[in-house]
Amino acid sequence: MLNLSPAEWSAVGLSLKVALGVAVITAVPAVLVGWLFARKEFRGKLLLESLVHAPLVIPPVVTGYLLLVTFGRNGFAGKWLAEVFDVRLVFTWQGAVLASAIVAFPLAVRSVRLAVSMVDARLEEAARTLGYNRGRVFMKVTLPLAWPGILGGILLAFSRSLGEFGATITFAGNVEGSTQTLPLAIYSALQVPGEETLAMRLVIASLILCFASLLISELLTRKAKRKLSVTHEA
């Protein structure tokens, strides 16, 4: 069993806290955007898809810098949040959640899109002929069939946030006990000569958390595929 110090446990706890926050705030938008991409064709769809998936290819440090410019003390959004709601995101764990969510959101959207696209559209059309509106069709037909894949996508975003580094350190900083997640704690340990053992303990803890969440995500995705294949055969 890992013999972590209180500071190391703090990094583990903060990583889980940030990852859970990412899962919560990305769940509903990812479901809506994923459904939109799977079921609708409209002008500008390609551009919107490119914007949503841009964080997958943009260097995370660039994402963090753009967040800093936008939500920093002198950024238009940051200044507005501070003046109206007295909310400051820079160098806070909430800022770490925002940075991780931006990076992880495209992964959740892609998983939701795949899960929804695998649902037979004829079932949704049949429900509409019975008088269901679009909202009820989604809640009664689409969501029950696609939920394992949707949940898998949310867990994938959770897993991605556990390993987020570039955007987080740029926007939220690396403050021990406040914004220092596991990747940042590993980075700090590697900067100190003779702390290889500490770094290894943190690496092992990170691997355990990431592999566990990825395993659950993969199991749910496979469950969704089996469920939908049975529906198609029926």
Side-chain angles (χ1 to χ4, degrees), residues 5-234:
S5 68
E8 294 161 9
W9 279 116
S10 175
V12 172
L14 183 60
S15 291
L16 291 172
K17 183 178 180 180
V18 169
L20 182 60
V22 169
V24 170
I25 69 172
T26 60
V28 173
V31 170
L32 294 177
V33 174
W35 175 86
L36 182 68
F37 288 168
R39 287 292 188 249
K40 295 295 180 181
E41 295 294 334
F42 52 89
R43 179 178 295 181
K45 180 180 178 179
L46 181 60
L47 176 60
L48 181 58
E49 288 177 332
S50 300
L51 290 174
V52 169
H53 294 117
L56 291 176
V57 294
I58 294 176
V61 173
V62 174
T63 301
Y65 174 75
L66 293 175
L67 286 173
L68 196 60
V69 171
T70 305
F71 292 96
R73 181 177 299 176
N74 297 320
F76 70 93
K79 183 181 295 186
W80 179 76
L81 287 173
E83 293 176 353
V84 178
F85 300 103
D86 194 27
V87 172
R88 293 169 179 81
L89 296 175
V90 181
F91 304 126
T92 65
W93 73 269
Q94 293 91 341
V97 171
L98 176 61
S100 296
I102 295 297
V103 175
F105 182 70
L107 295 175
V109 170
R110 290 170 72 90
S111 295
V112 172
R113 180 179 185 174
L114 177 61
V116 172
S117 64
M118 291 177 65
V119 176
D120 193 341
R122 292 174 298 180
L123 297 175
E124 297 173 333
E125 290 296 332
R128 291 192 188 98
T129 62
L130 297 176
Y132 284 23
N133 57 33
R134 293 187 182 277
R136 197 175 181 189
V137 169
F138 177 79
M139 295 301 297
K140 296 293 186 179
V141 179
T142 310
L143 189 60
L145 291 174
W147 77 263
I150 292 173
L151 186 55
I154 295 171
L155 282 172
L156 188 59
F158 177 95
S159 303
R160 176 62 183 86
S161 65
L162 288 174
E164 213 310 289
F165 177 83
T168 301
I169 197 171
T170 305
F171 182 60
N174 185 13
V175 183
E176 183 176 327
S178 179
T179 65
Q180 189 178 80
T181 57
L182 266 174
L184 302 185
I186 294 170
Y187 172 78
S188 296
L190 291 174
Q191 305 310 302
V192 181
E195 291 292 352
E196 291 80 6
T197 302
L198 166 60
M200 181 56 66
R201 289 201 303 268
L202 294 172
V203 166
I204 293 173
S206 180
L207 289 174
I208 291 173
L209 290 176
C210 291
F211 274 114
S213 56
L214 279 174
L215 178 61
I216 296 173
S217 175
E218 183 63 24
L219 289 174
L220 288 171
T221 301
R222 292 189 178 189
K223 181 177 180 179
K225 290 181 180 179
R226 290 196 300 269
K227 184 175 182 179
L228 290 172
S229 64
V230 170
T231 302
H232 285 308
E233 290 174 2

